[in-house]
Amino acid sequence: MTNILIVGHGAREHVITETLSSSGANIYAFMKSKNPGIAKLSKEILLSNLNNFDKLKTFIKGLNLDFAFIGPEDPLANGIVNFLSKEDIPSIGPFKAPAMLESSKIFTRNLLEKYKIEGNPKFKIFDSLKGLSSFLDELNDSVAIKPDGLTGGKGVKVFGDHLRSRQEIIDYCKELFSKGSKLIIEEKLIGEEFTLQSFVDGTHLVGMPLVQDHKRAFNDDTGPNTGGMGSYSFNDHLLPFISENDYKKAILIMEKSINAVKKETGYEFKGILYGQFMLTKDGPKLVEYNVRFGDPEAMNVLPLLKSDLIEICEKIISGSLNKIKIKFENKSTVCKYLAPTGYPINAKPTEVVVDIEKIKDIGGYLYFASVDLRGNKIKTTKSRSIAVLGIDKDISKAEQIAEQSISYIKGDLFHRTDIGTQKLINKRIEHMNSILN
Ligand code: AMP
Ligand code: GLY
């Protein structure tokens, strides 16, 4: 049996655990709150702050681990892979230096520029207001403003969406400077976003089916930005507004980036590289990299994986992903998140009751996110609580399965009813057509 350490406690880690466990792994989970799904599939768990490597050291002693799978970005940015490596445990996840692809947006933009990799929008880095006005003039205020570090997807503000005037842009920059943050101002990209996740062994990169996430809290893309309210994927592994050629261009950008990061830091990138792209009239542009699976996007791809995830991980570690063929089922998926009422601004924690058997009966899947099992009660925190997933050849059927699954979950929760519906997908297609023509 393969002994695997899972780090993290969300729905993403639940689906990773489920996939590894169904390949026959013994799971040991290091998590902050007691995810009932992960706990059930684990041999042992330890609840802890994920950046407490002393506690981790005590936990892993004597477990005879073959490797670790790191779910979230925070411990990666803090060097958990460097720590585990000293304990002779290889990881699916990058060392601290290549993890800068996610933890420093400035590092990534500069890397693409230095190594002449296509995909950057026009950008400039600022640590004061000096030169700001002339750059805003050049871009006609049509910009995105990004603080340098990890912000949980909530620090980026885009003109027209979150900022309405030059004054608001300047006020936001001043606010970030007052916190000591450097920032990037970049050209606002116009198009449709897509997520391309990949397995990377240091040299070879294997892309997974494309996914589209939904950042805004409410139907019709209204409300504040969130960690992601749901996502869908299509049976042909593309999206109706993304061509095979665009997919290949995005893969090329990612391949060049992992070569560049090796040259720049001296470390190979091993693990999952997640590219967030915007398809614009000038082709795919890089919005950002994440150095881990997406949440929710992990749930759109892992349940479709026909190949063995343990074997894939072993090949990532040995640098020989080119020796296997990785296959995904040709099915569509719709994932929807339930979050406590008031999320993400003023969430009220609630208790949830779930009829898992009914969800299984209709062919649905359920993944626990930020919930805590206390006795036999499931309490939510203030973050996204539970994800449901529908899988079918036909995306409308997958969407119906997701909705029906939600009817078996009780609690003071809300979700987006439009994700994965034909109406919303048509809107995306029309939007892309209007940009291309
Ligand atoms: P990030 O944290 O970089 O993924 O940014 C969060 C969200 O802000 C992205 O998913 C995009 O929707 C949006 N965004 C980031 N950069 C840009 C950009 N240059 N142009 C337009 N939208 C952007
Ligand atoms: N779905 C966005 C993320 O995982 O960061």
Side-chain angles (χ1 to χ4, degrees):
M1 288 280 254
T2 313
N3 295 328
I4 304 174
L5 173 74
I6 299 281
V7 176
H9 44 260
R12 164 184 50 208
E13 290 76 23
H14 187 178
V15 72
I16 294 169
T17 300
E18 181 187 79
T19 314
L20 290 168
S21 169
S22 68
S23 296
N26 288 322
I27 303 288
Y28 298 88
F30 186 64
M31 47 190 177
K32 188 164 154 215
S33 52
K34 190 167 177 183
N35 179 312
I38 300 176
K40 200 170 163 197
L41 295 169
S42 299
K43 273 192 103 82
E44 278 180 46
I45 64 169
L46 184 72
L47 300 184
S48 160
N49 177 320
L50 302 184
N51 292 313
N52 189 334
F53 300 161
D54 289 335
K55 271 204 169 164
L56 180 58
K57 188 167 180 158
T58 319
F59 180 52
I60 60 180
K61 210 168 169 192
L63 292 184
N64 206 10
L65 292 169
D66 291 284
F67 63 86
F69 204 122
I70 319 298
E73 61 274 25
D74 202 35
L76 289 166
N78 277 309
I80 195 168
V81 173
N82 304 57
F83 163 78
L84 288 166
S85 170
K86 282 197 203 114
E87 304 291 318
D88 274 335
I89 300 166
S91 293
I92 304 303
F95 284 87
K96 184 172 179 162
M100 281 194 295
L101 282 177
E102 175 166 1
S103 64
S104 171
K105 293 178 193 295
I106 292 179
F107 171 82
T108 299
R109 288 286 179 233
N110 282 338
L111 187 84
L112 264 65
E113 183 167 84
K114 178 171 170 187
Y115 290 86
K116 301 192 169 48
I117 302 168
E118 37 305 299
N120 260 351
K122 273 191 196 152
F123 75 97
K124 260 193 183 158
I125 295 155
F126 292 90
D127 58 10
S128 74
L129 293 174
K130 195 162 164 261
L132 184 69
S133 288
S134 66
F135 193 53
L136 292 176
D137 286 344
E138 187 185 327
L139 295 178
N140 211 6
D141 287 339
S142 184
V143 294
I145 300 173
K146 307 184 163 187
D148 189 36
L150 295 179
T151 60
K154 293 165 201 126
V156 175
K157 292 202 177 181
V158 180
F159 185 72
D161 296 343
H162 318 96
L163 302 166
R164 301 262 156 209
S165 64
R166 169 78 61 104
Q167 193 54 48
E168 283 185 24
I169 295 177
I170 291 177
D171 288 348
Y172 186 51
C173 291
K174 279 186 181 162
E175 184 189 323
L176 295 174
F177 292 140
S178 74
K179 292 179 191 154
S181 177
K182 275 194 189 180
L183 54 86
I184 300 188
I185 299 208
E186 60 189 38
E187 173 193 355
K188 177 177 175 178
L189 298 166
I190 303 201
E192 276 298 323
E193 283 188 79
F194 63 95
T195 300
L196 172 50
Q197 302 171 99
S198 65
F199 298 108
V200 186
D201 70 358
T203 318
H204 313 99
L205 180 144
V206 181
M208 305 186 213
L210 294 184
V211 184
Q212 190 175 49
D213 186 17
H214 298 72
K215 291 248 182 246
R216 306 293 282 267
F218 309 128
N219 276 10
D220 294 321
D221 299 317
T222 55
N225 270 355
T226 69
M229 291 302 292
S231 46
Y232 63 89
S233 70
F234 267 80
N235 54 22
D236 64 356
H237 300 164
L238 297 171
L239 294 168
F241 40 84
I242 311 286
S243 69
E244 178 87 42
N245 197 28
D246 298 321
Y247 182 96
K248 284 186 183 148
K249 283 185 188 164
I251 288 278
L252 200 61
I253 293 173
M254 292 170 74
E255 282 174 344
K256 289 182 181 172
S257 300
I258 59 154
N259 286 330
V261 89
K262 186 157 72 183
K263 285 193 192 127
E264 192 65 17
T265 66
Y267 284 89
E268 286 192 325
F269 187 102
K270 282 179 187 273
I272 309 298
L273 183 64
Y274 164 127
Q276 180 75 36
F277 290 92
M278 183 86 79
L279 182 61
T280 69
K281 63 177 173 23
D282 304 316
K285 299 278 178 188
L286 181 72
V287 174
E288 66 160 355
Y289 280 133
N290 292 326
V291 297
R292 46 154 178 97
F293 267 116
D295 189 352
E297 293 97 323
M299 289 170 277
N300 298 95
V301 294
L302 283 175
L304 299 184
L305 188 61
K306 289 207 262 188
S307 313
D308 185 276
L309 184 58
I310 297 181
E311 189 185 5
I312 296 173
C313 293
E314 287 166 351
K315 294 286 187 269
I316 289 175
I317 291 162
S318 62
S320 50
L321 267 182
N322 56 329
K323 297 277 190 314
I324 51 170
K325 191 119 194 81
I326 298 177
K327 291 214 165 109
F328 291 87
E329 283 184 75
N330 283 100
K331 289 196 172 158
S332 303
T333 64
V334 175
C335 180
K336 300 202 187 205
Y337 251 120
L338 291 111
T341 299
Y343 170 82
I345 306 214
N346 205 1
K348 292 190 270 313
T350 177
E351 190 181 318
V352 287
V353 179
V354 176
D355 193 336
I356 294 186
E357 289 312 313
K358 283 253 170 58
I359 294 175
K360 278 192 193 150
D361 283 349
I362 59 154
Y365 296 73
L366 174 143
Y367 299 100
F368 288 106
S370 279
V371 298
D372 205 4
L373 184 62
R374 298 199 207 135
N376 57 3
K377 291 202 187 318
I378 302 172
K379 306 267 188 185
T380 77
T381 67
K382 292 182 171 189
S383 293
R384 296 172 297 176
S385 316
I386 293 179
V388 295
L389 177 77
I391 303 181
D392 196 86
K393 262 219 146 359
D394 172 14
I395 191 147
S396 304
K397 186 79 204 310
E399 197 272 336
Q400 283 160 17
I401 295 171
E403 279 296 328
Q404 210 182 336
S405 300
I406 289 173
S407 69
Y408 299 121
I409 301 171
K410 304 289 173 231
D412 191 6
L413 303 162
F414 77 98
H415 72 283
R416 276 183 65 164
T417 54
D418 60 344
I419 294 171
T421 59
Q422 200 56 52
K423 187 170 166 229
L424 192 60
I425 293 164
N426 287 343
K427 201 171 130 188
R428 305 277 189 249
I429 297 172
E430 281 157 26
H431 180 223
M432 202 63 238
N433 283 341
S434 75
I435 286 161
L436 296 178
N437 300 318

